[in-house]
Amino acid sequence: MRVRIMPGSRLEGKARVPGDKSVAHRWIILAATAIGRSALVEVPRSLDVRSTASCLARITSKARPALDAWSSNDGSLAKGHGSTWNLGVEGSVGTAALRALEVEGEGRSGLVAPAGALDCGNAGTTMRLLSGVLASAPFETELVGDRSLSTRPMERVAQPLRSMGAVVETADGHAPVRIVGGALSGIVFEPGTPSAQVKSAVLLAGLDADGRTEVREPVGTRDHTERALAALGAPTSVSEGSVLLERYQHEGFAATVPGDPSSGAFLVAAAALSGSELTIVGVGLNPSRTRFLEVMARMGIHTERRIDRFELGEPVGELWVAPSAGIDSLRVEPDEIPLVIDEIPVLALLAAHADSESRFLGASELRVKESDRLEGIAAGIRALGGAAAAEGHDLVVGGGGLQGGRADAMGDHRMAMAFAVAALAARGPSEVDGMQRADVSFPGFVATMQSLGALLEELP
Ligand code: S3P
């Protein structure tokens, strides 16, 4: 899908963003591996989360019909095998919201061997987190993914799981990943590259391992797994960058998935670029996800947060964006990168509107995301009439604004949304190809932007 973006939008109103993808992956995994019934509300129907649900359907019995129906996007209400699922509820983000997904779990020991390979689609989180679950399951599984996912590094998760006792084979470091699970022992693990996915895979394996599992993070990453496990009563503790965990079988739970702050980042940027005031409600405010707001503050974008409640250890509330007068250039240091890893595309596109050069240092992890985002961001900024270059591990963004132009998302959801948002403040009209990829994390992105007043239209 191609969209045209015209300059001169004013955004207005209150916005909601779809449920947090990172949180939803983890909670669906925890629901499917719990003992008893769980009810999850506002699970985003983003493609990535559906991949997790459909893979879990293949390795569960009682939970299978609910997970299957939900992930296959079947809009009917149904009951069966101890589970209820209820689709097609219109929310403020259109049909992207699902009111309740009820899943009957049979615990980790209730997992069953799948009939064929598990297809993780485009989702690195699905492949890496499920590897941690499957590491202790006493059967063989093969995890496959799409072309993009099949180029992404998997040894970083295979290695610690092997040292815990699982058989894990990769194809030259990539998917397909073959796992023969079995009895695991806890390890002390210090990841070479900061990664919440790898940390979470080890913790999910540690939940079903003998002894103690410890992950020592060199640089902090998002902590949704730790928070959920603590809220579910697991014997876990966190101190000075180290997470400790012992074997635990949790029970079913009920929780509402918070709005995704990484999706919110696109709306904050859109408001800032159009000098508008905006409030995002029901959004996740976990500090390990909101570092981008500190970075935006350095760019002159003022926001305020108010926590209203907690959901399975996750703070949720309102995010208010003040009207901005302009964008300042910035420098992001390497140790800050892991905490803004998913927001760098939108931060870089914002930086293209600053009056001078910005630098994102030590950002080479972006080269192994859904696309080579370092090259893709630079190419997109140039295509929209700005200046940018990927230089080794760094991204240099020229500043001075965008003229307008035509950019390709290159199959990457975050690039598609970052380009569309940045084009709102370009001097002339722009077009973005591949906008349909937004569905990977923000179903209803174009409709949400339009409803706030953004001059953005789908082209035939
Ligand atoms: C995620 C962690 C990050 C992030 C990804 C989601 C997660 O990846 O980029 O979009 O849910 O754990 P890494 O852990 O590989 O940095």
Side-chain angles (χ1 to χ4, degrees):
M1 183 217 302
R2 182 149 51 106
V3 291
R4 176 180 294 134
I5 304 103
M6 304 299 289
S9 305
R10 294 282 309 170
L11 302 200
E12 216 185 303
K14 283 198 176 190
R16 230 174 229 290
V17 284
D20 188 320
K21 181 159 86 78
S22 281
V23 168
H25 282 296
R26 288 159 173 80
W27 290 6
I28 294 184
I29 290 173
L30 289 170
T33 55
I35 299 267
R37 177 176 292 248
S38 295
L40 303 182
V41 180
E42 301 288 357
V43 185
R45 286 233 312 264
S46 47
L47 296 176
D48 276 11
V49 177
R50 282 160 59 184
S51 294
T52 289
S54 73
C55 288
L56 285 166
R58 307 268 77 70
I59 55 169
T60 50
S61 306
K62 278 190 175 174
R64 179 173 297 173
L67 291 167
D68 249 345
W70 185 82
S71 58
S72 65
N73 205 6
D74 172 344
S76 56
L77 174 74
K79 278 180 187 289
H81 299 264
S83 295
T84 309
W85 56 101
N86 173 11
L87 289 164
V89 176
E90 292 282 337
S92 54
V93 286
T95 53
L98 165 68
R99 278 274 151 241
L101 170 63
E102 290 185 21
V103 168
E104 185 74 25
E106 296 170 275
R108 284 285 278 264
S109 61
L111 296 179
V112 297
L118 303 186
D119 186 355
C120 304
N122 190 240
T125 314
T126 305
M127 188 169 279
R128 296 192 178 119
L129 266 56
L130 287 182
S131 297
V133 171
L134 292 163
S136 70
F139 48 77
E140 181 178 334
T141 326
E142 192 185 29
L143 296 160
V144 299
D146 71 5
R147 207 150 46 119
S148 147
L149 182 52
S150 303
T151 64
R152 299 180 62 187
M154 289 301 149
E155 271 302 312
R156 57 175 66 178
V157 74
Q159 279 169 7
L161 297 178
R162 265 180 220 129
S163 47
M164 294 179 86
V167 174
V168 187
E169 287 169 10
T170 64
D172 243 352
H174 303 110
V177 179
R178 194 181 76 89
I179 301 177
V180 185
L184 302 181
S185 306
I187 52 166
V188 177
F189 174 56
E190 291 187 39
T193 309
S195 165
Q197 293 175 352
V198 176
K199 169 178 67 177
S200 299
V202 171
L203 293 177
L204 288 168
L207 213 51
D208 198 15
D210 283 341
R212 200 159 75 161
T213 297
E214 180 175 354
V215 181
R216 293 184 187 152
E217 286 199 283
V219 181
T221 61
R222 64 190 70 191
D223 62 359
H224 304 301
T225 308
E226 299 89 300
R227 281 176 186 256
L229 291 175
L232 291 171
T236 181
S237 64
V238 181
S239 71
E240 289 168 26
S242 165
V243 190
L244 286 168
L245 175 72
E246 281 174 41
R247 186 192 290 277
Y248 186 66
Q249 174 58 64
H250 58 286
E251 291 181 358
F253 59 97
T256 300
V257 179
D260 196 328
S262 299
S263 298
F266 296 106
L267 302 186
V268 176
L273 287 174
S274 51
S276 311
E277 181 182 342
L278 188 72
T279 304
I280 307 175
V281 298
V283 66
L285 295 173
N286 177 329
S288 70
R289 295 291 299 286
T290 52
R291 185 62 166 262
F292 73 90
L293 294 173
E294 267 81 54
V295 175
M296 286 185 175
R298 305 211 293 271
M299 306 178 97
I301 302 172
H302 177 66
T303 55
E304 285 175 18
R305 288 162 251 184
R306 195 193 67 211
I307 296 173
D308 296 332
R309 62 180 208 274
F310 281 80
E311 293 282 345
L312 209 65
E314 295 288 339
V316 187
E318 246 179 51
L319 175 60
W320 175 75
V321 191
S324 303
I327 305 292
D328 299 329
S329 61
L330 92 157
R331 193 181 155 92
V332 179
E333 301 292 337
D335 60 359
E336 201 167 29
I337 297 285
L339 285 171
V340 292
I341 193 78
D342 290 339
E343 291 78 38
I344 290 173
V346 72
L347 292 171
L349 268 292
L350 275 172
H353 289 286
D355 46 11
S356 58
E357 186 180 279
S358 295
R359 283 183 179 261
F360 297 80
L361 303 172
S364 52
E365 188 61 15
L366 287 178
R367 291 195 186 275
V368 292
K369 289 295 176 189
E370 286 84 329
S371 69
D372 178 345
R373 286 187 177 153
L374 221 50
E375 294 296 342
I377 292 167
I381 291 176
R382 291 194 300 266
L384 292 172
E391 295 179 357
H393 298 304
D394 305 336
L395 176 66
V396 184
V397 180
L402 300 174
Q403 297 301 332
R406 182 169 174 179
D408 190 318
M410 289 186 292
D412 187 317
H413 56 125
R414 296 197 203 279
M415 311 270 278
M417 293 185 276
F419 296 158
V421 160
L424 291 173
R427 294 186 187 96
S430 302
E431 289 176 10
V432 176
D433 292 291
M435 201 67 232
Q436 72 281 0
R437 295 304 291 173
D439 280 1
V440 163
S441 60
F442 194 158
F445 170 76
V446 171
T448 300
M449 291 287 285
Q450 286 168 334
S451 71
L452 293 170
L455 301 174
L456 196 114
E457 61 169 343
E458 275 180 39
L459 295 176

